[in-house]
Amino acid sequence: MAAPTVKVARGWWGLAFGVRRTVLRLPGLTQVRWSRYGPEYQDPQIDKEYYRKPLAQLTEEETYERELRKTQVIKAAPATKTSSVFEDPVISKFTNMMMKGGNKVLARSLMTQTLEAVKRKQFEKYHAASAEEQATIERNPYTIFHQALKNCEPVIGLVPILKGGHFYQVPVPLADRRRRFLAMKWMIAECREKKPRRMLMPEKLSQELLEAFYSRGPVIKRKHDMHKMAEANRALAHYRWW
Amino acid sequence: MKERRGTPNLHEVGRIMLKGMTRLVSRVHKLDPGRFLHLGTQASQCLVAHLNNQVPNESPRAISRTLENDPAKHGEQHVGRHYSIPAQDLETALPHGLPPRFVMQVKTFNEACLMVRKPALELLHYLKNTNFAHPAVRYVLYGEKGTGKTLSLCHIIHFCAKQDWLILHIPDAHLWVKNCRDLLQSTYNKQRFDQPLEASIWLKNFKTANERFLSQIKVQDKYVWNKRESTEKGSPLAEVVEQGIMRVRNATDAVGIVLKELKRQSSLGIFRLLVAVDGVNALWGRTTLKREDKSPIAPEELALIYNLRKMVKNDWQGGAIVLTVSQTGSLFKPRKAYLPQELLGKEGFDTLDPFIPILVSNYNPKEFEGCIQYYLENNWLQHEKAHTEEGKKELLFLSNRNPGLLERLCAYL
């Protein structure tokens, strides 16, 4: 990934209080991703346990923090973040990545059907296995999902760097969020492209997740390919300047 | 055991043995819900008597299973508990009646457990006290989507199968009025239409459910199928069913004959007949089937529906008619409609008119706890938070105690 560029709008006028004003003025540049909230806006506190703590048990810092929050402006909580006990940010992110055309209902139903399919397959294996093997079989679809994505995360990535008129693929350490993104992206791409015509997404996804959980399958292979390429281009590592 | 001074107190010994026995009993409950618990010696029998009187000192959990697997003996004390149906009964009594999600659950858990609920108990009570000399009484199970009408019907069918009734079970009448690939003009009556596929599938399942009766019941008329084949008077009903299964073209007529003969002979007293139809509002609604000239077909022009309507009239004795009205699968009915009047329409309601309506509603708190406990015992709820009080409260809120919704929620948790 190239070094991030910040593009800034020219001349914002008639702004209400709290809306971000121009940060940096450079000719010919527009800020691509921005938030309508200014820097003084605080993130909402969604955790129910935070509010359930009785006032008597709060330490001084926490009481101070609560008093301070009463004076601050707070952003609106997004519709996708709930205070449900079953909420999982990784699952939400994956659902958003699977979504096409804003059809969140379909994406969410595919996700729930996938989790159900994983669970049923594992239950079948459990009932067919002997007593010793039963202890090793994992039936929780959420642990399988998290472990599978963790197994698919690459450790090192390649970035095209322009030097002397040519682009070279340079091995580069990846940030955590980039690794998680790549793992999810590869998983979804694999399930969309390489499945037989009439197979449905939940079935294919559950298959791929189970294979990745056991560290085999095409997504793991892609991760290993990435590592091998990085190893092969070891000599170009000096082209990286950060 | 700690060392004690003097002789050990008999009460303390008894209490410790009782604790051990309770743990053993609860573990056996979990392992073998169907087996009867055998206790050999006299001393342990005394302890068992103690068990029934005293509260076991395990942590108080909702009990979700019962050992009573015979539907005839289910009573008020079993409400909210699951009883298991042995695999044999499942194959013979219910080859085609169960909802698809329940079939998946049976396959996953390797056991078929139904919850005992009040509407089913009410119906069982009425069926136990039927007077077979009077005309057949019609019972209509109605309720909102996902409340358990079909499974209550399956409970009743299991009871009747155990009591050796003849079961005439149409799993979903809606399937007969839509999506039919091959409609033939009926050979018996030019105005009506035949549905060979649906009729032959139904005949196969009917045969598996009622093998033993088919050889006992004799046909009372001669039926000519075509120039070469005919069934003589006095031959067993099994021949008619065989003919329908083998010659798919005559399947619909075979179904018609079976229905006519059963209705005629039910009052003779050889057998007791249970007519169970799921989605009976399909018989009086509209169909989505069209003729070759694209004009719509009314339900009475389908031979299967025409014969079934005659079966559902209460002009015969020696049995009972249990029906379900459902919006799922119905055609041209609004989603929120669940009352019999709304779903049956004027014609259907007038035909069924003196019937006993039985409302099937959402779980009450005890049944909800029992259901959650059943899922926990089978390790179906794998999410860590689902075991906590918070998780249970959230499931209650999300599902509004609706059985169908709860099942779908727990499937992915």
Side-chain angles (χ1 to χ4, degrees):
Chain A
M1 186 168 72
T5 49
V6 173
K7 299 177 186 172
V8 170
R10 234 196 292 214
W12 289 42
W13 36 263
L15 298 172
F17 166 68
V19 181
R20 177 160 299 186
R21 301 213 160 78
T22 50
V23 173
L24 197 57
R25 281 251 222 144
L26 290 173
L29 292 175
T30 28
Q31 186 154 4
V32 177
R33 270 190 221 109
W34 64 68
S35 161
R36 294 289 289 179
Y37 292 115
E40 62 277 359
Y41 274 77
Q42 303 300 317
D43 285 314
Q45 175 62 265
I46 304 213
D47 186 21
K48 273 196 275 201
E49 297 306 317
Y50 176 87
Y51 295 109
R52 280 206 191 130
K53 239 179 159 183
L55 289 163
Q57 277 185 18
L58 297 176
T59 61
E60 268 193 41
E61 297 152 353
E62 287 178 344
T63 345
Y64 173 74
E65 198 198 313
R66 293 233 182 160
E67 294 293 316
L68 185 60
R69 272 183 90 84
K70 286 184 196 169
T71 58
Q72 288 167 333
V73 256
I74 305 191
K75 297 182 197 170
T80 46
K81 274 199 85 161
T82 56
S83 54
S84 157
V85 290
F86 301 120
E87 189 192 337
D88 192 348
V90 183
I91 300 257
S92 311
K93 183 62 87 182
F94 196 85
T95 322
N96 287 340
M97 286 179 70
M98 266 210 300
M99 174 167 60
K100 275 191 187 174
N103 194 348
K104 179 81 116 203
V105 172
L106 182 62
R108 202 183 130 122
S109 74
L110 288 175
M111 193 72 228
T112 54
Q113 282 169 41
T114 309
L115 292 168
E116 191 185 332
V118 164
K119 211 187 195 182
R120 282 193 201 267
K121 283 185 192 171
Q122 289 299 92
F123 264 76
E124 248 183 74
K125 259 193 249 175
Y126 184 84
H127 288 305
S130 61
E132 304 87 44
E133 289 167 21
Q134 276 181 356
T136 53
I137 294 181
E138 175 62 56
R139 289 185 285 177
N140 188 340
Y142 293 87
T143 39
I144 292 180
F145 181 79
H146 289 131
Q147 190 56 43
L149 284 184
K150 228 182 287 189
N151 289 347
C152 291
E153 280 177 17
V155 166
I156 193 168
L158 293 169
V159 149
I161 290 191
L162 178 62
K163 195 158 172 105
H166 296 276
F167 281 98
Y168 296 100
Q169 295 288 333
V170 175
V172 132
L174 299 171
D176 264 341
R177 57 176 187 272
R178 177 74 185 162
R179 293 178 2 180
R180 286 193 285 263
F181 171 78
L182 279 176
M184 291 197 253
K185 180 92 180 183
W186 289 345
M187 181 64 79
I188 294 175
E190 172 68 37
C191 294
R192 278 184 186 160
E193 286 150 25
K194 303 273 179 55
K195 65 174 163 76
R197 193 76 237 283
R198 302 284 287 190
M199 194 190 255
L200 295 170
M201 182 70 162
E203 201 188 318
K204 174 74 177 175
L205 230 197
S206 57
Q207 204 180 339
E208 292 304 326
L209 282 172
L210 281 170
E211 297 212 310
F213 177 70
Y214 292 113
S215 296
R216 44 177 196 248
V219 193
I220 301 284
K221 183 170 171 298
R222 188 164 173 180
K223 172 184 89 155
H224 289 324
D225 286 344
M226 168 82 114
H227 287 173
K228 279 183 210 153
M229 284 277 285
E231 184 62 30
N233 287 6
R234 221 173 31 204
L236 305 171
H238 295 287
Y239 289 175
R240 180 171 66 98
W241 63 85
W242 64 89
Chain B
M1 280 274 274
K2 284 186 253 176
E3 275 195 304
R4 292 172 189 274
R5 285 204 205 120
T7 54
N9 199 343
L10 199 61
H11 285 298
E12 300 211 34
V13 168
R15 196 160 41 83
I16 290 161
M17 283 177 78
L18 185 63
K19 217 183 203 173
M21 195 58 77
T22 324
R23 288 226 177 88
L24 175 64
V25 168
S26 60
R27 206 166 290 141
V28 173
H29 266 254
K30 270 187 226 155
L31 290 174
D32 277 334
R35 297 259 199 87
F36 193 73
L37 192 59
H38 280 289
L39 294 170
T41 62
Q42 194 126 38
S44 33
Q45 278 174 357
C46 295
L47 281 171
V48 168
H50 266 280
L51 258 178
N52 291 335
N53 302 337
Q54 294 181 14
V55 175
N57 45 5
E58 294 266 317
S59 56
R61 288 177 321 192
I63 309 177
S64 73
R65 285 187 201 253
T66 172
L67 294 177
E68 186 56 72
N69 282 349
D70 188 6
K73 303 203 187 103
H74 284 156
E76 292 287 313
Q77 69 273 30
H78 297 117
V79 169
R81 307 225 188 144
H82 292 83
Y83 81 98
S84 79
I85 306 180
Q88 250 175 332
D89 282 356
L90 209 60
E91 277 166 29
T92 42
L94 295 164
H96 55 169
L98 300 168
R101 281 200 79 91
F102 189 73
V103 171
M104 277 201 288
Q105 185 181 300
V106 167
K107 186 162 174 275
T108 308
F109 291 168
N110 279 345
E111 60 175 7
C113 282
L114 276 190
M115 193 195 270
V116 179
R117 296 182 71 195
K118 277 229 183 63
L121 282 178
E122 200 186 323
L123 245 183
L124 284 175
H125 175 75
Y126 294 150
L127 285 176
K128 281 180 213 170
N129 303 346
T130 35
N131 184 343
F132 293 105
H134 291 173
V137 184
R138 288 178 286 217
Y139 307 94
V140 173
L141 289 161
Y142 71 102
E144 292 184 329
K145 179 173 165 175
T147 43
K149 305 179 282 288
T150 309
L151 281 180
S152 299
L153 193 68
C154 294
H155 191 174
I156 305 298
I157 291 174
H158 186 219
F159 164 75
C160 294
K162 272 274 184 10
Q163 302 282 312
D164 247 359
W165 290 39
L166 205 162
I167 315 257
L168 199 77
H169 178 42
I170 287 97
D172 195 355
H174 294 296
L175 295 175
W176 287 359
V177 295
K178 55 182 179 178
N179 298 339
C180 181
R181 291 288 175 87
D182 33 3
L183 267 182
L184 304 171
Q185 199 189 34
S186 168
T187 43
Y188 183 70
N189 183 334
K190 292 274 177 277
Q191 316 299 337
R192 296 206 273 257
F193 291 93
D194 263 0
Q195 285 157 296
L197 255 179
E198 282 88 2
S200 61
I201 295 170
W202 184 81
L203 276 173
K204 277 191 210 120
N205 288 323
F206 177 72
K207 192 170 151 200
T208 16
N210 301 306
E211 289 271 16
R212 53 190 190 287
F213 287 108
L214 292 179
S215 39
Q216 293 168 10
I217 303 172
K218 307 287 180 223
V219 178
Q220 284 173 355
D221 264 335
K222 179 172 163 162
Y223 296 106
V224 179
W225 300 106
N226 50 33
K227 266 185 274 186
R228 269 157 281 188
E229 290 164 9
S230 68
T231 316
E232 299 302 320
K233 179 172 167 175
S235 52
L237 202 60
E239 269 191 36
V240 174
V241 176
E242 271 308 313
Q243 179 72 24
I245 294 177
M246 290 219 287
R247 298 262 177 275
V248 186
R249 290 187 67 119
N250 300 335
T252 319
D253 293 329
V255 172
I257 292 172
V258 162
L259 294 179
K260 187 164 88 168
E261 290 297 325
L262 288 177
K263 191 166 164 177
R264 249 196 279 182
Q265 299 188 23
S266 62
S267 29
L268 300 176
I270 320 166
F271 58 86
R272 287 180 261 178
L273 181 62
L274 173 77
V275 178
V277 185
D278 203 329
V280 76
N281 45 328
L283 302 186
W284 291 282
R286 286 160 60 185
T287 67
T288 43
L289 304 173
K290 296 197 173 79
R291 295 192 187 86
E292 282 90 24
D293 54 357
K294 308 282 175 82
S295 58
I297 303 180
E300 47 271 355
E301 291 172 26
L302 291 166
L304 282 175
I305 305 291
Y306 184 80
N307 292 324
L308 199 52
R309 278 195 195 179
K310 285 193 261 180
M311 206 62 201
V312 164
K313 260 175 33 177
N314 58 350
D315 50 1
W316 51 276
Q317 298 106 329
I321 310 176
V322 183
L323 309 165
T324 315
V325 283
S326 84
Q327 196 275 337
T328 334
S330 68
L331 296 163
F332 307 103
K333 292 284 176 214
R335 194 167 59 91
K336 297 282 183 181
Y338 72 96
L339 297 166
Q341 170 75 35
E342 294 166 350
L343 286 172
L344 290 169
K346 184 169 183 323
E347 199 196 329
F349 195 87
D350 289 338
T351 324
L352 281 185
D353 203 349
F355 64 82
I356 300 182
I358 301 178
L359 171 66
V360 185
S361 57
N362 290 335
Y363 283 151
N364 56 32
K366 189 167 157 232
E367 287 172 339
F368 180 79
E369 283 298 325
C371 188
I372 298 277
Q373 193 57 36
Y374 172 68
Y375 287 142
L376 285 173
E377 276 175 20
N378 280 60
N379 295 316
W380 188 232
L381 291 174
Q382 287 279 327
H383 201 285
E384 324 68 61
K385 297 289 171 115
H387 302 272
T388 60
E389 276 308 312
E390 279 285 335
K392 269 193 214 142
K393 269 198 264 184
E394 187 155 333
L395 282 174
L396 190 113
F397 173 73
L398 286 173
S399 64
N400 192 24
R401 286 197 230 114
N402 181 301
L405 263 182
L406 182 64
E407 196 267 317
R408 275 167 200 271
L409 278 175
C410 295
Y412 62 83
L413 279 176

